[in-house]
Each structure stands twice: as C-alpha cells, then as structure tokens.
Amino acid sequence: MFKSLYHKFIIFKLKRNNKITFSSKVSSRTKLEGSNIVKNSNIVSSSVGFASYIQNGSYLPHSKIGKFSSIGENVKVVEWKHPIDRISTSPSTYNSCSNPLFSVENKYQFNEKDFTKNGFLVEIGNDVWIGSNVLIKAGVVIGDGAVVGMGAVVTKDVPPFAMAAGAHPILYEGINIVGLRRRGFTAEQIENIKQIYDIIYNSNLNTTQACRKVEEEIPDCDEKRIILDFIKASNRGIIRPRKKDR
C-alpha cells in the first residue's frame, strides 16, 4: 500500500518533467514547479521554483527556493537552536514535549526554531547559487541573484546580487558582476548596484545610516528599491563586510 502510494506520488512529480532519484525523500507537501532535479536529498514541506536543482546529500525542511536556483551538495538547514543563558542547554529544561520527566511552565518554554516572515525556515531567492557543504541557520533569507561560497555558515541574511563566503562569520565579498551581465543587466544597472553596496559596506556607517545615504544619493531605480526593501525587511540583519587590511 505504502509503496503504491509512493510510486504514484513520484509519477505525479515526474509529470512536470522533474527528475528525482529514488534515494531522495521528497515529502508529499513539497511543491515542485517543474523541470526540477533532486539528487539523493531530503526535501520536507518545501517549495522549489521552476528549473531549480538540489544536489546530493542536501537537507531542506520547510524552505522556499526560487526559480533557476542551484543548490550544491550537502547543503543543510540547521533547524534547531538551544538557549545559552539558562541553567542547562538541555531541552528538558525548557520544552515540556522533550522529556516527560520534567514539567516546564509556559513562561519558561523556549522557541526552538526561527522562521522567516513568510513562515519558512529558510528562503532562497531566484537564480541563487549555493556551493557545497553550506550550513544555513533557520530564519535566514538569501536574496535574488546571490552567490554563497562552499563551506559557508550562513547566520545572517544575504542581500540580492551579493557574493558571500566564509564560516566564522560569513562575509560580503562583492557583487556577481559576471552573473549580472549574463542575465542582461546593463552597465548602468550594474554600476547602480555597485554604488549602493559601496555605501552600505564601505562608508563606515551602520546599516540604517547607510540605507538613508543610499536613499539620498542614488537615483531612483529598480535595483535601489529591491536592495533597500530587502535590507529593511531583514529580521536577522545582513552579512557584514570583510575588514580591510590596514
């Protein structure tokens, strides 16, 4: 019975020209828009945009992935967190469901997962490239056109068109100029994006002050609005710049 239902589910997924290896686990609540590839990965209650693919060994629970995005091998969402300001980090001291030996009052319970404003553990935009062995903390949003280098530990939001790398912590590494040209961005649009991020990351201002300066100094354009809207909506804050050598 179970195998029959599973095979019917796989056939339904493949009707949209999706390619799912049989060693993959794709829950029935996961939506694949079409032309998706999932290789030996575990996708739970997620939304995967058109033509996006997910490579071997990845784990993406309750995630939203945009169109034409590329997820490398062993990319994993880190779902759970523990408090460090209590007598113990054990869930038995803050979650009444974890250990029946303890009774935990509501006021002492702890929210073990962070969600984005749209109710996902993680949101990944359109045309995003995430390298192999990346860990993404729950609550993180990665903007359209961003690139995340292999082995990164993503604990902050990655703004649109940005390149980010590093593990302790992940840092801003510039913009993906080659990728922007490939996608048809004009020289003027690319220059606008570059100037916006120069202000945000190189002006020695805090994020609020830098956004205000962008509003005042950069002419109105779609790129400006996309970037500023993303930053203002960020719950976790955006990645920081790499410190320049003195």
Side-chain angles (χ1 to χ4, degrees):
M1 176 66 176
F2 173 77
K3 287 184 177 180
S4 175
L5 289 174
Y6 177 75
H7 287 143
K8 286 181 180 178
F9 167 67
I10 290 297
I11 291 169
F12 172 75
K13 294 295 186 186
L14 295 179
K15 283 182 179 178
R16 297 186 177 186
N17 199 31
N18 297 315
K19 297 179 180 179
I20 306 171
T21 61
F22 273 89
S23 54
S24 293
K25 295 180 181 179
V26 181
S27 75
S28 60
R29 292 186 178 182
T30 291
K31 178 183 177 183
L32 303 177
E33 286 192 0
S35 296
N36 302 116
I37 299 173
V38 181
K39 292 184 178 180
N40 307 322
S41 293
N42 189 356
I43 316 299
V44 181
S45 299
S46 294
S47 172
V48 183
F50 182 82
S52 290
Y53 74 81
I54 301 164
Q55 282 285 13
N56 297 306
S58 291
Y59 174 56
L60 298 167
H62 305 283
S63 301
K64 181 180 181 182
I65 302 168
K67 298 174 171 58
F68 299 101
S69 286
S70 307
I71 312 298
E73 295 183 344
N74 300 313
V75 173
K76 293 180 170 61
V77 172
V78 181
E79 293 183 73
W80 304 93
K81 62 181 181 179
H82 294 253
I84 59 174
D85 59 348
R86 301 193 178 193
I87 191 170
S88 171
T89 59
S90 169
S92 62
T93 65
Y94 58 78
N95 188 332
S96 59
C97 298
S98 297
N99 192 333
L101 295 176
F102 292 85
S103 177
V104 182
E105 296 180 34
N106 288 335
K107 66 178 180 178
Y108 295 118
Q109 289 187 16
F110 177 73
N111 182 14
E112 296 174 285
K113 293 184 180 183
D114 290 329
F115 292 89
T116 68
K117 290 181 178 179
N118 295 318
F120 294 94
L121 284 176
V122 163
E123 292 185 40
I124 298 168
N126 301 304
D127 201 18
V128 172
W129 175 23
I130 299 179
S132 300
N133 301 309
V134 170
L135 297 177
I136 308 173
K137 189 172 183 178
V140 160
V141 179
I142 299 174
D144 293 343
V147 175
V148 179
M150 63 180 181
V153 178
V154 188
T155 59
K156 297 286 186 181
D157 293 346
V158 181
F161 320 120
M163 295 191 298
H168 303 293
I170 186 172
L171 299 169
Y172 171 78
E173 297 285 357
I175 64 173
N176 182 15
I177 293 177
V178 174
L180 291 171
R181 288 174 180 160
R182 174 173 50 81
R183 292 196 291 274
F185 281 71
T186 66
E188 180 182 2
Q189 289 174 313
I190 293 172
E191 183 61 25
N192 286 336
I193 294 169
K194 184 176 181 298
Q195 289 182 9
I196 291 167
Y197 282 127
D198 278 345
I199 292 173
I200 290 171
Y201 285 115
N202 298 322
S203 62
N204 294 320
L205 300 173
N206 64 39
T207 303
T208 301
Q209 293 169 335
C211 287
R212 190 177 302 122
K213 186 173 182 179
V214 169
E215 290 277 18
E216 295 170 351
E217 297 187 4
I218 302 298
D220 286 336
C221 58
D222 290 341
E223 303 79 51
K224 171 182 170 179
R225 188 49 46 206
I226 289 169
I227 293 170
L228 290 184
D229 285 350
F230 181 95
I231 293 173
K232 290 175 182 177
S234 174
N235 278 338
R236 304 193 65 86
I238 60 173
I239 56 174
R240 302 311 306 156
R242 184 174 296 281
K243 292 182 179 179
K244 296 181 178 180
D245 295 332
R246 301 193 176 201

